[in-house]
Amino acid sequence: MINKCLFPVAGYGTRFLPATKSMPKEMLPVVNKPLVQYGVEEAIAAGMNQMAFVTGRGKRAITDHFDISYELEHQIAGSAKEGYLTSIRGVLDQATFTMTRQREMKGLGHAILTGETLIGNEPFGVVLSDDLCINAGDSVMAQMVNLYKQFRCSIVAIQEVPQDQTEKYGVISGEALKEGLYRVDDMVEKPKPEDAPSNLAIIGRYILTPDIFDILRDTPPGKGGEVQLTDALLTQAKNGCVMAYQFEGSRFDCGSVDGFVEATNHVYQHIYKA
Ligand code: UTP
């Protein structure tokens, strides 16, 4: 149904400097696995098998991670250490990986438009891998794919946030179709708490229909001088339909130090040691 997943990974990760000076933030490990691999595994669990990365300068470690390391394979073949490679080998067997570069960091909307060449004219998933989503049942992306089958329009994942934190997110309002599911009628990027249309914040999981590319091409730079995906999605919502889905599961903002430490503790206790 949806085969491709786009990973915009070109951002600078300034909140993690100096760790991210020469290393992509998407390669930061939560326990023993880089953030981006969690995202890819989530997409695979949702039935996707073509991973598309929008990278930037200094991000080659991501490309190398999703390739075979012959020297390493040769060194540990037949040894007890081979087991450590099981998860990444599984990922490599189940998906293909393509890359393109965003030459200038002009925002998430611009990064997605840069990925058009890898996606073409079909609906696709988007994972911002600094949001780590963990759920015992269906992955968040799998839940969204199921919804897509029903509505056939763009879907954003949302979460309730404290009202004083709206300035960190895109915030939606809409008509509730049932508990946790809204038809979007307004969307604002990083509003001040007093200007926010609700406390329902968009997190880093999307399913987008390919008309988003034409809309992005016509979307002028918005907040912070960047081309904002939120602005393009509002246009899409006004012209047709965008759904917002309050997913089941936990989400950790691993783009921030506090969220990253929380994620690490959670994964260590509930997954690694379990
Ligand atoms: P963020 O603003 O959270 O990431 O963008 P950042 O810029 O890397 O982090 P800070 O704020 O400097 O610490 C959300 C996502 O969009 C991607 C980022 O890589 C991240 O996954 N992005 C953002 C791009 O790929 N290109 C851009 O121009 C902007």
Side-chain angles (χ1 to χ4, degrees), residues 41-268:
E41 289 177 0
E42 185 183 328
I44 290 173
M48 300 168 184
N49 59 7
Q50 295 174 50
M51 308 299 150
F53 292 83
V54 177
T55 72
R57 283 177 296 281
K59 300 279 182 168
R60 281 182 61 181
I62 299 175
T63 314
D64 289 341
H65 188 70
F66 294 106
D67 194 0
I68 292 207
S69 166
Y70 279 107
E71 203 178 309
L72 187 62
E73 295 273 343
H74 177 75
Q75 277 294 327
I76 67 174
S79 80
K81 291 183 179 163
E82 217 174 344
Y84 293 122
L85 281 178
T86 308
S87 79
I88 186 65
R89 278 182 181 162
V91 163
L92 295 183
D93 284 346
Q94 291 176 78
T96 60
F97 299 86
T98 53
M99 322 277 165
T100 190
R101 271 198 187 197
Q102 186 187 17
R103 286 191 294 271
E104 290 172 284
M105 305 318 140
K106 293 184 184 169
L108 177 59
H110 181 261
I112 297 226
L113 184 55
T114 305
E116 181 182 19
T117 179
L118 305 176
I119 299 293
N121 189 25
E122 55 188 279
F124 59 103
V126 175
V127 169
L128 306 187
S129 43
D130 41 4
D131 268 340
L132 177 61
C133 292
I134 291 176
N135 187 28
D138 281 350
S139 71
V140 175
M141 197 45 102
Q143 295 167 38
M144 293 171 76
V145 167
N146 281 337
L147 265 185
Y148 178 80
K149 288 178 188 158
Q150 202 182 336
F151 291 98
R152 308 274 168 160
C153 67
S154 289
I155 304 170
V156 298
I158 52 166
Q159 187 179 43
E160 277 189 43
V161 296
Q163 194 73 31
D164 63 357
Q165 289 188 21
T166 56
E167 257 179 299
K168 293 203 251 170
Y169 299 92
V171 177
I172 69 120
S173 68
E175 176 198 354
L177 300 189
K178 60 178 181 182
E179 209 191 320
L181 186 66
Y182 301 81
R183 182 187 285 267
V184 172
D185 56 31
D186 197 11
M187 243 180 210
V188 189
E189 182 62 23
K190 300 191 171 69
K192 291 201 164 70
E194 59 273 26
D195 300 331
S198 74
N199 68 337
L200 296 171
I202 303 173
I203 63 117
R205 297 292 181 277
Y206 308 79
I207 287 181
L208 301 177
T209 52
D211 54 312
I212 198 75
F213 295 125
D214 280 338
I215 300 173
L216 280 167
R217 248 185 290 283
D218 292 338
T219 302
K223 196 110 190 183
E226 298 189 332
V227 179
Q228 297 292 352
L229 178 61
T230 307
D231 295 342
L233 280 165
L234 180 59
T235 306
Q236 207 177 36
K238 292 203 160 138
N239 295 344
C241 173
V242 172
M243 305 299 295
Y245 171 58
Q246 215 168 340
F247 60 93
E248 286 171 32
S250 311
R251 167 248 172 195
F252 300 92
D253 173 14
C254 292
S256 75
V257 171
D258 288 344
F260 184 83
V261 171
E262 262 179 62
T264 302
N265 288 332
H266 179 94
V267 171
Y268 183 71

